[in-house]
Amino acid sequence: VGGDPLRIISQMRWQEPTRHLPLLTMGREPNMPRLLKALELGVNDYLVKPVDPNELLARVRTQVRRRRFQLRLLANREASLTMALTDGLTGLFNRHYFTSHFAGLFRHAQEQGRPISVMMLDVDHFKSVNDSYGHAAGDQVLQGLARCISGSVRNFDLVARLGGEEFVIVMPEARLQEAARAAERIRAQVAATPLLLTSRSVAPLSATGAAAAPELRLPVTVSIGVAAIDGPGDTVEDMLRRADMALYEAKRSGRNRVVLAREAPHANGAGR
């Protein structure tokens, strides 16, 4: 490759695709100042001519091993961060991330006088799914529901699994009626799309005790409670409490429906 080696080194360290690429350079004893300059620019190692082939091979192998080790560390770090922020089953954000991130979104909306809404969503009769088809079926229901929700909201909405069969959706810049329309779309889509269970372990047992066909389309419905920010004195806790009360009212009044917080009486809760 033609050109000044020091300039090439500098360019490679500046460009993102080659920024962390292991680099070795070679030079003669009288050019030690240039070799030292190369180290300052980011070269990983250097050799002085004449070069022993065995030494060259050993130094190359050392740099390759070092780079592979760095990549493994980076992958492990990213995996740890992902595990800390996301739900392992559905791939959605987890309760910890939701709690911290929602607080910031709520505070921004309150300070700027902007709307923000939240949905609390719960799978109807989820216990019966686990009881009838097993926990593997329940896991598939939750995964399918997570995909459905993610595909039905805006890319800047916050979707998280709170735990069990309960999910939450935060919609910045959405007023109560806008969030209600979005919630109804989600409810209707879930109700109209039976979830496909594919594992043999989730097939229900026949009357003879033999496993039925390993593929099953299971109808699933959800109940949703919706709340919006209610003035400058509102709090995150109050907003979530209103959404949760609306969800309980949706359960109490028949399930497979959307209830707005302002429509929800102060109920003591209902079975799910």
Side-chain angles (χ1 to χ4, degrees):
V1 180
D4 181 9
L6 293 181
R7 184 181 296 275
I8 294 173
I9 293 168
S10 178
Q11 291 174 347
M12 293 184 71
R13 284 296 179 246
W14 180 78
Q15 296 173 358
E16 183 61 32
T18 56
R19 181 170 299 167
H20 302 290
L21 189 70
L23 295 178
L24 284 82
T25 187
M26 292 182 288
R28 298 188 181 278
E29 191 73 33
N31 289 332
M32 282 303 296
R34 287 179 62 82
L35 291 176
L36 295 176
K37 181 63 175 178
L39 289 174
E40 292 178 3
L41 292 174
V43 162
N44 299 85
D45 202 355
Y46 71 89
L47 296 98
V48 177
K49 296 180 179 179
V51 176
D52 182 287
N54 292 326
E55 182 183 5
L56 173 61
L57 183 60
R59 289 178 182 267
V60 168
R61 285 175 173 169
T62 297
Q63 294 304 322
V64 170
R65 284 197 298 267
R66 182 174 297 173
R67 180 57 181 159
R68 287 175 177 170
F69 180 69
Q70 291 173 343
L71 291 174
R72 285 198 299 270
L73 287 179
L74 182 61
N76 290 338
R77 177 178 176 272
E78 291 177 349
S80 297
L81 287 174
T82 298
M83 291 176 62
L85 300 178
T86 60
D87 172 57
L89 178 65
T90 63
L92 300 177
F93 289 117
N94 59 21
R95 177 186 287 271
H96 175 74
Y97 180 86
F98 163 75
T99 301
S100 59
H101 196 56
F102 178 44
L105 293 174
F106 183 91
R107 183 171 57 253
H108 175 77
Q110 201 168 48
E111 292 172 351
Q112 301 298 319
R114 305 300 301 169
I116 186 170
S117 297
V118 64
M119 303 180 208
M120 301 284 283
L121 181 151
D122 191 276
V123 183
D124 296 327
H125 302 295
F126 185 71
K127 184 177 183 298
S128 66
V129 174
N130 285 332
D131 291 345
S132 300
Y133 303 101
H135 289 283
D139 288 348
Q140 290 191 35
V141 167
L142 296 177
Q143 290 168 338
L145 182 58
R147 290 192 295 270
C148 181
I149 296 173
S150 298
S152 303
V153 298
R154 304 167 300 181
N155 58 5
F156 57 87
D157 291 333
L158 170 60
V159 183
R161 180 188 177 201
L162 292 183
E165 67 272 26
E166 193 168 26
F167 298 80
V168 63
I169 306 166
V170 179
M171 301 186 69
E173 301 295 330
R175 301 184 187 280
L176 185 65
Q177 289 298 331
E178 295 169 328
R181 288 192 291 270
E184 178 57 29
R185 286 196 303 271
I186 293 172
R187 185 210 62 77
Q189 182 174 347
V190 172
T193 312
L195 296 177
L196 179 64
L197 308 182
T198 57
S199 171
R200 186 173 298 274
S201 65
V202 303
L205 297 180
S206 67
T208 63
E215 184 173 291
L216 175 70
R217 290 192 176 274
L218 184 67
V220 175
T221 63
V222 295
S223 299
I224 306 176
V226 186
I229 193 169
D230 186 24
D234 203 8
T235 67
V236 168
E237 292 76 15
D238 287 342
M239 187 176 176
L240 291 176
R241 178 183 55 81
R242 293 195 303 272
D244 196 47
M245 290 176 61
L247 171 60
Y248 273 116
E249 174 61 15
K251 293 284 188 181
R252 190 196 66 80
S253 58
R255 298 180 172 85
N256 188 27
R257 63 191 60 210
V258 175
V259 171
L260 307 189
R262 67 186 184 192
E263 298 175 356
H266 291 274
N268 293 322
R272 301 192 176 189

